[in-house]
Short mmCIF file of all heavy atoms in Angstrom, two decimals:
data_model
loop_
_atom_site.label_atom_id
_atom_site.label_comp_id
_atom_site.label_asym_id
_atom_site.label_seq_id
_atom_site.Cartn_x
_atom_site.Cartn_y
_atom_site.Cartn_z
N ASN A 121 330.97 -149.86 -27.12
CA ASN A 121 329.78 -150.69 -27.18
C ASN A 121 330.13 -152.15 -26.88
O ASN A 121 331.30 -152.52 -26.77
CB ASN A 121 329.13 -150.59 -28.56
CG ASN A 121 327.61 -150.53 -28.47
OD1 ASN A 121 327.02 -151.14 -27.59
ND2 ASN A 121 326.99 -149.81 -29.36
N VAL A 122 329.12 -152.98 -26.75
CA VAL A 122 329.31 -154.40 -26.54
C VAL A 122 329.80 -155.03 -27.84
O VAL A 122 329.67 -154.45 -28.92
CB VAL A 122 327.99 -155.08 -26.08
CG1 VAL A 122 327.54 -154.52 -24.74
CG2 VAL A 122 326.90 -154.92 -27.12
N ARG A 123 330.40 -156.22 -27.72
CA ARG A 123 330.95 -156.89 -28.89
C ARG A 123 329.86 -157.10 -29.94
O ARG A 123 328.74 -157.51 -29.64
CB ARG A 123 331.55 -158.24 -28.50
CG ARG A 123 332.23 -158.95 -29.66
CD ARG A 123 332.73 -160.32 -29.29
NE ARG A 123 333.92 -160.25 -28.47
CZ ARG A 123 333.96 -160.61 -27.20
NH1 ARG A 123 332.87 -161.06 -26.60
NH2 ARG A 123 335.07 -160.53 -26.51
N GLY A 124 330.19 -156.81 -31.19
CA GLY A 124 329.24 -156.97 -32.28
C GLY A 124 328.45 -155.72 -32.60
O GLY A 124 327.80 -155.65 -33.64
N LYS A 125 328.49 -154.72 -31.71
CA LYS A 125 327.81 -153.45 -31.94
C LYS A 125 328.84 -152.38 -32.26
O LYS A 125 329.97 -152.43 -31.81
CB LYS A 125 326.98 -153.03 -30.72
CG LYS A 125 325.89 -154.02 -30.35
CD LYS A 125 324.80 -154.07 -31.39
CE LYS A 125 323.65 -154.99 -30.94
NZ LYS A 125 322.57 -155.05 -31.95
N GLU A 126 328.40 -151.39 -33.02
CA GLU A 126 329.34 -150.38 -33.51
C GLU A 126 329.64 -149.30 -32.47
O GLU A 126 328.81 -148.98 -31.63
CB GLU A 126 328.74 -149.69 -34.75
CG GLU A 126 328.43 -150.64 -35.89
CD GLU A 126 327.37 -150.08 -36.82
OE1 GLU A 126 327.76 -149.39 -37.78
OE2 GLU A 126 326.17 -150.31 -36.59
N TRP A 127 330.84 -148.73 -32.57
CA TRP A 127 331.13 -147.48 -31.87
C TRP A 127 330.20 -146.41 -32.43
O TRP A 127 329.83 -146.43 -33.61
CB TRP A 127 332.58 -147.04 -32.12
CG TRP A 127 333.59 -147.69 -31.24
CD1 TRP A 127 334.16 -148.92 -31.41
CD2 TRP A 127 334.19 -147.12 -30.07
NE1 TRP A 127 335.07 -149.17 -30.41
CE2 TRP A 127 335.12 -148.07 -29.57
CE3 TRP A 127 334.05 -145.92 -29.39
CZ2 TRP A 127 335.89 -147.86 -28.44
CZ3 TRP A 127 334.81 -145.69 -28.25
CH2 TRP A 127 335.72 -146.65 -27.78
N ARG A 128 329.84 -145.46 -31.58
CA ARG A 128 329.10 -144.28 -32.04
C ARG A 128 329.92 -143.04 -31.70
O ARG A 128 330.69 -143.05 -30.74
CB ARG A 128 327.74 -144.19 -31.33
CG ARG A 128 326.80 -145.34 -31.67
CD ARG A 128 325.92 -145.68 -30.50
NE ARG A 128 326.72 -146.16 -29.37
CZ ARG A 128 326.32 -146.06 -28.10
NH1 ARG A 128 325.18 -145.48 -27.80
NH2 ARG A 128 327.09 -146.53 -27.13
N VAL A 129 329.76 -142.01 -32.50
CA VAL A 129 330.45 -140.76 -32.21
C VAL A 129 329.41 -139.68 -31.97
O VAL A 129 328.39 -139.61 -32.67
CB VAL A 129 331.42 -140.37 -33.36
CG1 VAL A 129 330.69 -140.23 -34.68
CG2 VAL A 129 332.15 -139.08 -33.01
N GLN A 130 329.67 -138.87 -30.96
CA GLN A 130 328.76 -137.80 -30.58
C GLN A 130 329.48 -136.47 -30.68
O GLN A 130 330.63 -136.34 -30.27
CB GLN A 130 328.28 -138.02 -29.14
CG GLN A 130 327.39 -136.92 -28.57
CD GLN A 130 326.79 -137.34 -27.24
OE1 GLN A 130 325.89 -138.16 -27.17
NE2 GLN A 130 327.30 -136.76 -26.15
N THR A 131 328.81 -135.46 -31.26
CA THR A 131 329.35 -134.10 -31.25
C THR A 131 328.48 -133.25 -30.33
O THR A 131 327.30 -133.52 -30.15
CB THR A 131 329.38 -133.48 -32.65
OG1 THR A 131 328.05 -133.38 -33.16
CG2 THR A 131 330.23 -134.31 -33.59
N ASN A 132 329.10 -132.21 -29.77
CA ASN A 132 328.35 -131.31 -28.90
C ASN A 132 328.98 -129.93 -28.94
O ASN A 132 330.17 -129.78 -29.24
CB ASN A 132 328.32 -131.83 -27.46
CG ASN A 132 327.02 -131.47 -26.74
OD1 ASN A 132 326.37 -130.48 -27.08
ND2 ASN A 132 326.64 -132.27 -25.76
N VAL A 133 328.16 -128.92 -28.63
CA VAL A 133 328.58 -127.53 -28.62
C VAL A 133 328.04 -126.88 -27.36
O VAL A 133 326.83 -126.96 -27.09
CB VAL A 133 328.07 -126.77 -29.86
CG1 VAL A 133 328.42 -125.28 -29.77
CG2 VAL A 133 328.63 -127.38 -31.14
N TYR A 134 328.92 -126.25 -26.58
CA TYR A 134 328.51 -125.48 -25.41
C TYR A 134 329.13 -124.09 -25.51
O TYR A 134 330.28 -123.94 -25.93
CB TYR A 134 329.01 -126.12 -24.11
CG TYR A 134 328.45 -127.47 -23.80
CD1 TYR A 134 329.26 -128.60 -23.89
CD2 TYR A 134 327.12 -127.63 -23.40
CE1 TYR A 134 328.76 -129.86 -23.60
CE2 TYR A 134 326.61 -128.89 -23.11
CZ TYR A 134 327.44 -130.00 -23.20
OH TYR A 134 326.94 -131.25 -22.91
N GLY A 135 328.38 -123.08 -25.10
CA GLY A 135 328.91 -121.73 -25.06
C GLY A 135 328.53 -121.02 -23.78
O GLY A 135 327.37 -121.11 -23.33
N ASN A 136 329.49 -120.38 -23.15
CA ASN A 136 329.24 -119.53 -21.99
C ASN A 136 328.54 -120.28 -20.85
O ASN A 136 327.64 -119.76 -20.19
CB ASN A 136 328.41 -118.31 -22.40
CG ASN A 136 328.55 -117.16 -21.42
OD1 ASN A 136 329.60 -116.97 -20.83
ND2 ASN A 136 327.48 -116.40 -21.23
N GLY A 137 328.95 -121.53 -20.63
CA GLY A 137 328.38 -122.30 -19.53
C GLY A 137 327.00 -122.86 -19.78
O GLY A 137 326.29 -123.21 -18.84
#
Side-chain angles (χ1 to χ4, degrees):
N121 220 327
V122 298
R123 184 185 286 112
K125 299 292 184 180
E126 301 157 90
W127 277 82
R128 295 147 296 154
V129 58
Q130 176 170 287
T131 62
N132 213 333
V133 175
Y134 296 109
N136 202 34

